[in-house]
Amino acid sequence: VQLQASGGGLVQAGGSLRLSCAASGSIFRIDDMGWYRQAPGEERELVASITSGSKADYEYSVKGRFTISRDNAKNTVYLQMNRLKPEDTAVYYCNALISPWGDPDGLSYPYWGQGTLVTVSS
């Protein structure tokens, strides 16, 4: 099972970016999916999460600016980021709880994407 993230880049303050993260491999079920970010010298923090039923939750500082969504048919999670601020600059990581085919107990395990850099200039 792999997660492949894309969509990062350099943008001016006030601009927008859309991140994508596609899961592939021997997947039986995907439960919660989410986006984390880690700024230089900081701890990794949860930015947004979404359940398999598309119930979303957000870190306070991004509420109203970021929107998380998912396409279950494509095993993909998205993060639409609007009105970006310099403090949003970080490496963004996608995460998913995935139950692989063949797991005898049907348990889900956390998988991480490789990270994509978002830089917001002032």
Side-chain angles (χ1 to χ4, degrees):
V1 175
Q2 289 185 326
L3 296 181
Q4 181 68 43
S6 61
L10 173 63
V11 64
Q12 288 189 331
S16 298
L17 281 175
R18 189 192 195 208
L19 306 183
S20 300
C21 177
S24 62
S26 186
I27 297 170
F28 173 66
R29 185 185 72 247
I30 302 179
D31 297 325
D32 292 2
M33 305 182 83
W35 289 94
Y36 289 70
R37 66 185 178 188
Q38 187 168 19
E42 301 290 333
E43 297 283 326
R44 189 175 297 189
E45 64 173 357
L46 177 63
V47 175
S49 63
I50 186 167
T51 67
S52 58
S54 293
K55 182 179 183 301
D57 198 11
Y58 299 93
E59 192 270 329
Y60 179 79
S61 70
V62 308
K63 280 184 178 179
R65 300 188 297 122
F66 291 10
T67 302
I68 189 170
S69 61
R70 64 191 284 172
D71 185 332
N72 291 330
K74 295 182 179 179
N75 290 339
T76 299
V77 61
Y78 305 96
L79 186 68
Q80 177 67 43
M81 304 184 293
N82 298 328
R83 291 184 281 138
L84 281 160
K85 304 176 180 180
E87 51 264 44
D88 294 319
T89 295
V91 177
Y92 283 69
Y93 298 90
C94 58
N95 171 273
L97 290 174
I98 297 175
S99 180
W101 278 105
D103 184 273
D105 299 315
L107 298 177
S108 297
Y109 305 92
Y111 291 86
W112 291 91
Q114 82 282 13
T116 183
L117 177 63
V118 172
T119 304
V120 184
S121 63
S122 56

